[in-house]
């Protein structure tokens, strides 16, 4: 029986909000409890992969999974982008979700806009900057865990006493095509963790400025080059917004970009390094280091 789009989206949203609350609480756990929890999650993941994925099952033969911990995963074989590309169907834990099905869905997204594959998956692709594109599938649990790590750290990184609207406007200066993870997140999570206003890099500067002036975003997130341009527009007086937070993503953060954003908006830039498969690193409050 087919499920309607909105019921699937609600499942993704509810799972994200649940996981975000749990993740935020764990930020304040003692280190020993966090490590024990991570080991438990890792054990569940390895068991699931060895039972449901033919490719992982064959590669984990002989590995004592009980001995693997977050502090020592050296016994596990690695998987790179080419492995995923060449063994997609055997890696996937759902026989109904094949590489052909996923790619056909991506083609539909390009012409028809965002939708869920098989009524339960978000499909997106990497930019292929290495010359090989990765195709990624995420169900509600995967997307919820992905988003939770971002949402909980964003909440905890805000200044104490900052008043946040129930549904803050978030301006995303990033790709609009739904085959990209940033646009897929906006399509799934809009109105849940915030109201998303997306401005693509191809948007004329005057139009981008007008959209942001109208939206008056609580937060900015986007490519460093876009943030830099908008900061210059703010200093020139054409852009007139007062964001409470700003995050660089998708591009290296240049010192001059951090400096001009500080001058324009009066706030420091949080730096984030991520991949379509998972969020990897984020700067913590005023630190210039990326914490994995």
């Amino acid at each position: 029986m087919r499920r309607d789009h909105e019921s699937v989206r609600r499942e993704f949203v509810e799972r994200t909000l649940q996981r975000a609350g749990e993740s935020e609480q764990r930020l304040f756990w003692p280190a020993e409890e966090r490590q024990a929890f991570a080991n438990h999650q890792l054990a569940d993941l390895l068991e699931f992969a060895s039972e449901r994925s033919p490719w992982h099952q064959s590669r984990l033969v002989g590995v004592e999974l009980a001995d693997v911990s977050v502090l020592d995963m050296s016994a596990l074989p690695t998987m790179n982008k080419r492995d995923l590309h060449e063994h997609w169907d055997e890696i996937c834990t759902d026989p109904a979700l094949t590489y052909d099905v996923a790619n056909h869905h991506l083609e539909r997204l390009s012409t028809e806009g965002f939708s869920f594959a098989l009524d339960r998956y978000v499909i997106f692709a990497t930019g292929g900057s290495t010359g090989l594109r990765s195709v990624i599938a995420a169900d509600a649990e995967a997307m919820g865990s992905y988003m939770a790590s971002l949402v909980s750290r964003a909440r905890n990184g805000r200044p104490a006493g900052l008043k946040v609207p129930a549904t803050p406007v978030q301006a995303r200066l990033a790709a609009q095509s739904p085959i990209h993870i940033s646009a897929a997140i906006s399509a799934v999570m809009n109105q849940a963790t915030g109201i998303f206003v997306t401005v693509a890099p191809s948007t004329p500067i005057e139009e981008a400025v007008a959209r942001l002036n109208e939206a008056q975003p609580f937060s900015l997130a986007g490519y460093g080059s876009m943030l830099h341009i908008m900061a210059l527009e703010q200093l020139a007086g054409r852009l007139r917004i007062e964001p409470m937070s700003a995050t660089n993503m998708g591009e290296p953060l240049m010192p001059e970009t951090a400096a001009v954003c500080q001058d324009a908006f009066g706030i420091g830039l949080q730096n984030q390094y991520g991949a379509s498969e998972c969020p990897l690193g984020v700067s913590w409050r005023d630190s210039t280091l990326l914490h994995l």
Side-chain angles (χ1 to χ4, degrees):
M1 180 178 177
R2 294 297 304 272
R3 299 172 61 194
D4 66 275
H5 176 92
E6 187 56 26
S7 67
V8 180
R9 194 181 79 87
R10 282 200 303 270
E11 180 185 350
F12 275 70
V13 168
E14 290 167 3
R15 192 65 55 87
T16 294
L17 296 179
Q18 177 186 354
R19 294 291 176 255
E22 296 167 353
S23 179
E24 193 169 2
Q25 291 178 351
R26 288 195 297 272
L27 291 173
F28 303 97
W29 283 7
E32 298 79 10
E33 288 187 32
R34 289 201 306 270
Q35 184 173 318
F37 176 81
N39 281 327
H40 184 268
Q41 294 293 96
L42 176 61
D44 284 349
L45 176 66
L46 293 175
E47 182 180 1
F48 185 87
S50 64
E51 291 179 353
R52 300 283 292 273
S53 165
W55 195 73
H56 285 304
Q57 184 180 63
S58 65
R59 298 205 322 151
L60 291 173
V61 171
V63 177
E64 292 295 335
L65 299 183
D67 295 336
V68 178
S69 75
V70 293
L71 297 180
D72 184 7
M73 292 186 281
S74 58
L76 297 178
T78 58
M79 179 176 68
N80 59 36
K81 184 177 285 191
R82 185 162 296 280
D83 290 332
L84 179 61
H85 179 76
E86 295 179 352
H87 303 280
W88 210 93
D89 288 0
E90 307 100 274
I91 290 171
C92 190
T93 59
D94 182 352
L97 184 62
T98 66
Y99 190 66
D100 287 344
V101 168
N103 272 292
H104 178 66
H105 188 76
L106 287 174
E107 292 173 5
R108 288 183 56 197
L109 293 182
S110 298
T111 58
E112 301 176 16
F114 179 80
S115 64
F116 295 98
L118 303 179
D119 295 335
R120 59 184 181 277
Y121 296 109
V122 174
I123 309 291
F124 45 93
T126 64
S129 58
T130 63
L132 187 66
R133 185 181 76 164
S134 285
V135 175
I136 313 298
D139 61 7
E141 182 64 41
M143 180 68 80
S145 297
Y146 185 110
M147 286 297 299
S149 65
L150 299 179
V151 171
S152 63
R153 282 159 180 76
R155 288 173 178 171
N156 194 53
R158 292 169 182 158
L162 178 64
K163 293 183 178 179
V164 182
T167 50
V169 176
Q170 302 179 29
R172 301 178 67 83
L173 313 179
Q176 282 187 307
S177 170
I179 70 171
H180 294 288
I181 180 64
S182 56
I185 287 173
S186 296
V188 175
M189 300 305 301
N190 192 25
Q191 302 288 338
T193 57
I195 300 171
F196 294 112
V197 176
T198 303
V199 179
S202 57
T203 305
I205 293 177
E206 295 82 1
E207 181 181 335
V209 168
R211 291 188 65 186
L212 293 179
N213 279 337
E214 180 181 3
Q216 288 298 307
F218 176 85
S219 63
L220 291 173
Y223 306 143
S225 54
M226 286 282 287
L227 290 169
H228 196 120
I229 291 171
M230 291 300 105
L232 293 176
E233 290 296 303
Q234 179 92 350
L235 291 173
R238 291 180 287 270
L239 181 65
R240 297 175 297 278
I241 60 175
E242 298 179 358
M244 296 293 102
S245 67
T247 302
N248 174 76
M249 63 184 190
E251 294 176 349
L253 176 58
M254 298 291 103
E256 55 267 32
T257 296
V260 75
C261 286
Q262 178 70 55
D263 291 342
F265 304 119
I267 53 176
L269 270 182
Q270 185 182 61
N271 193 21
Q272 178 183 307
Y273 175 78
S276 296
E277 297 87 342
C278 62
L280 297 179
V282 64
S283 63
W284 189 252
R285 294 180 176 165
D286 296 327
S287 173
T288 58
L289 299 176
L290 284 171
H291 299 256
L292 299 180

